Amino acid sequence: PRGGPPTEPHFPQPAEEKAQLLQNAEYQEMMVESTFMYLTLDLPTAPLYKDEKEQLIIPQVPLFSILAKFNGATEKEYKTYKENFLKRFQLTRLPPYLIFCIKRFTKNNFFVEKNPTIVNFPIT
C-alpha cells in the first residue's frame, strides 16, 4: 500500500453524469415541434400544515412560477410503467389566445384530491 491520506471516492456531479449519459445513443436528445390548443400547468403540492389558529393554510403561487415549465430549461421527469424520461418545453411562438389548464386534481389508489392552491395572476 502507498503512503499518504486516503482519497475520497469521486461521485459524478449531476451535470457530469448527464453529459456522460448523453454520449450513449439511448440517451440522445430529441426535439419535437407540436401545435397546441392549451397549456397544462402543474401546481406544486399543497402543504398539510395548519396556522396558529388551527386553520388550514391555503398556499399561493405566482402564475409565472408555474409557467416556468415552458422556459426551455426546466426539465420535468415523466414515469411510465416501461420507462422514465425527461422533457423540456419551450414556447417558440404564441397564439392569439392562451388557454391555461391548471391541474388541480390528483388521483391516488383511494380517492381524487383537489389542490386548493391559489394562482396569482399579474394585473399589469
Side-chain angles (χ1 to χ4, degrees):
R2 293 185 174 170
T7 59
E8 293 289 321
H10 175 70
F11 296 105
Q13 298 299 320
E16 293 174 5
E17 187 177 351
K18 184 178 176 182
Q20 289 174 353
L21 287 174
L22 286 175
Q23 301 300 318
N24 298 340
E26 181 183 356
Y27 294 100
Q28 290 300 307
E29 289 189 358
M30 291 177 12
M31 186 177 100
V32 178
E33 267 191 50
S34 63
T35 58
F36 57 91
M37 297 292 288
Y38 60 89
L39 298 176
T40 303
L41 304 177
D42 302 316
L43 285 178
T45 55
L48 301 174
Y49 306 116
K50 294 184 177 186
D51 64 6
E52 301 84 29
K53 298 175 188 166
E54 290 298 312
Q55 303 213 346
L56 284 176
I57 299 171
I58 298 177
Q60 297 183 29
V61 63
L63 176 66
F64 291 121
S65 68
I66 58 176
L67 278 172
K69 172 183 178 180
F70 299 98
N71 66 6
T74 305
E75 293 179 333
K76 183 170 181 194
E77 185 175 7
Y78 290 87
K79 296 180 180 186
T80 65
Y81 66 95
K82 286 186 178 180
E83 61 187 353
N84 296 346
F85 49 92
L86 293 173
K87 282 188 175 184
R88 279 184 297 186
F89 301 97
Q90 182 176 12
L91 299 176
T92 55
R93 195 167 17 117
L94 290 176
Y97 299 97
L98 266 179
I99 300 170
F100 298 139
C101 175
I102 298 173
K103 232 174 134 182
R104 287 195 178 276
F105 295 95
T106 54
K107 190 181 347 181
N108 64 23
N109 292 339
F110 305 108
F111 55 89
V112 176
E113 189 174 11
K114 182 179 179 183
N115 185 334
T117 301
I118 295 170
V119 178
N120 291 324
F121 285 76
I123 294 171
T124 55

